Amino acid sequence: MVKFVASDLDGTLLLNGAQSVDESAIQYINKLVDKGVIFAPASGRQITSLKRLFGAVSDKLAYIAENGALVEYKGETIGKTAMDRKLALEIIEDVIEQPNCEVLVSGEHTAYIKPKSEEYYYRMTKVVNYHTTLVDKFTDIDEDILKIAVCDMTGIKNSKEHFINKWSDKASVLVSGELYLDLMDTNVNKGRGIEQIQKYFSLKPEECMAFGDNYNDIAMLDRVYYSYVMEKAVDDVKKHGHFITGWVEGTLREQFKEIR
């Protein structure tokens, strides 16, 4: 019996660039949690943004935010892993120096930005709808840094090798979307977030289901038995799933037939 479901958002629950969760999906997730199934968005996004996306059902969910750097259930922090501050500031400076690359620095409830372009500012505040704080200097951030996201407005494929080659021996470096690459503490990934939830609720892998489509989902898929990879994912990701799907909500309705 599946007792816990985690789903990535961009490219998984949110298809074709969507920036809102279908109302039918929210209603069905509400039915699942009312029947005792724990549901968690598992995303590189900040927790504030995730809660906005799920609206009326948001207070009932668990959250694996910032790729697993922050894990929460009904307001209780289950896990939080910050980056080494000196390293984080070095990475931030490197991102700023790269052409076409913008930086997003995640605290616990806000993301710090210093946009190079109006396009990026609009994207983060209006399209992705993040809770953001403008800074003059990133050294002014007075809380733990949980994650650094690189946004390459020309496509992350054009700059990912630079960040992977330069920082992968010091940080966890993962492509998280067509425009994004995330850097975190080496201990952070969605799989660790799943593990923390499994320990908190005393769950076995065979009681857990997860949906993903990208490299930052691999560790999560490996932690559950019911691992679903989106059909459009690359083969390197697909080999980490036991099942393939094209529609998260449809798969949930099929797997939980008793919940109408």
Side-chain angles (χ1 to χ4, degrees):
M1 178 181 176
V2 175
K3 299 179 180 179
F4 169 67
V5 177
S7 180
D8 172 56
L9 292 185
D10 299 289
T12 304
L13 192 60
L14 301 180
L15 296 175
N16 304 315
Q19 294 298 327
S20 61
V21 182
D22 287 344
E23 184 58 33
S24 63
I26 289 178
Q27 290 177 3
Y28 193 71
I29 290 166
N30 190 42
K31 291 179 181 179
L32 287 179
V33 295
D34 283 348
K35 292 293 186 180
V37 178
I38 304 153
F39 185 90
S43 173
R45 297 192 185 208
Q46 65 176 187
I47 197 163
T48 305
S49 173
L50 294 177
K51 289 179 178 180
R52 286 175 179 169
L53 279 171
F54 286 88
V57 75
S58 61
D59 290 344
K60 300 180 179 181
L61 306 183
Y63 293 92
I64 300 172
E66 310 290 3
N67 278 329
L70 182 63
V71 182
E72 182 183 293
Y73 180 66
K74 292 186 176 180
E76 179 181 350
T77 299
I78 295 174
K80 177 182 172 182
T81 307
M83 299 182 72
D84 175 81
R85 186 175 183 84
K86 181 175 181 295
L87 174 63
L89 293 173
E90 289 175 0
I91 294 172
I92 290 167
E93 286 303 311
D94 182 44
V95 179
I96 292 170
E97 290 173 1
Q98 304 311 308
N100 304 312
C101 290
E102 299 269 8
V103 65
L104 181 82
V105 181
S106 294
E108 189 164 349
H109 296 290
T110 191
Y112 300 90
I113 58 173
K114 185 180 180 180
K116 297 179 184 178
S117 67
E118 284 295 325
E119 180 186 7
Y120 177 67
Y121 179 74
Y122 180 84
R123 177 176 181 80
M124 297 315 302
T125 59
K126 304 300 183 183
V127 179
V128 183
N129 196 27
Y130 258 41
H131 184 282
T132 57
T133 300
L134 291 169
V135 293
D136 289 324
K137 297 180 295 182
F138 288 99
T139 51
D140 290 340
I141 297 172
D142 62 357
E143 65 166 314
D144 288 337
I145 294 174
L146 301 183
K147 190 192 75 178
I148 298 165
V150 182
C151 179
D152 187 331
M153 301 300 287
T154 68
I156 198 64
K157 65 182 184 295
N158 297 319
S159 56
K160 66 179 182 179
E161 295 305 323
H162 167 81
F163 297 107
I164 292 170
N165 292 338
K166 185 165 185 177
W167 299 109
S168 59
D169 62 333
K170 298 177 181 178
S172 177
V173 185
L174 294 167
V175 172
S176 58
E178 291 186 5
L179 301 181
Y180 296 98
L181 176 143
D182 295 335
L183 300 103
M184 302 142 295
D185 182 87
T186 53
N187 292 313
V188 170
N189 56 57
K190 292 184 185 181
R192 187 173 185 224
I194 294 285
E195 187 177 0
Q196 289 171 330
I197 285 178
Q198 288 171 334
K199 182 177 180 181
Y200 184 85
F201 291 104
S202 299
L203 297 170
K204 300 173 183 177
E206 55 269 28
E207 295 174 315
C208 302
M209 180 182 292
F211 296 85
D213 77 312
N214 219 321
Y215 289 95
N216 65 333
D217 298 317
I218 287 174
M220 170 175 72
L221 295 166
D222 288 345
R223 286 294 309 174
V224 307
Y225 175 75
Y226 294 96
S227 49
Y228 284 85
V229 179
M230 302 304 288
E231 58 190 11
K232 66 175 180 57
V234 299
D235 289 342
D236 281 349
V237 178
K238 281 183 177 176
K239 66 186 180 183
H240 291 271
H242 287 126
F243 309 96
I244 303 294
T245 185
W247 185 30
V248 173
E249 182 188 343
T251 300
L252 290 175
R253 290 180 180 275
E254 177 66 24
Q255 292 298 320
F256 295 93
K257 292 180 180 178
E258 72 280 5
I259 299 177
R260 297 295 182 184

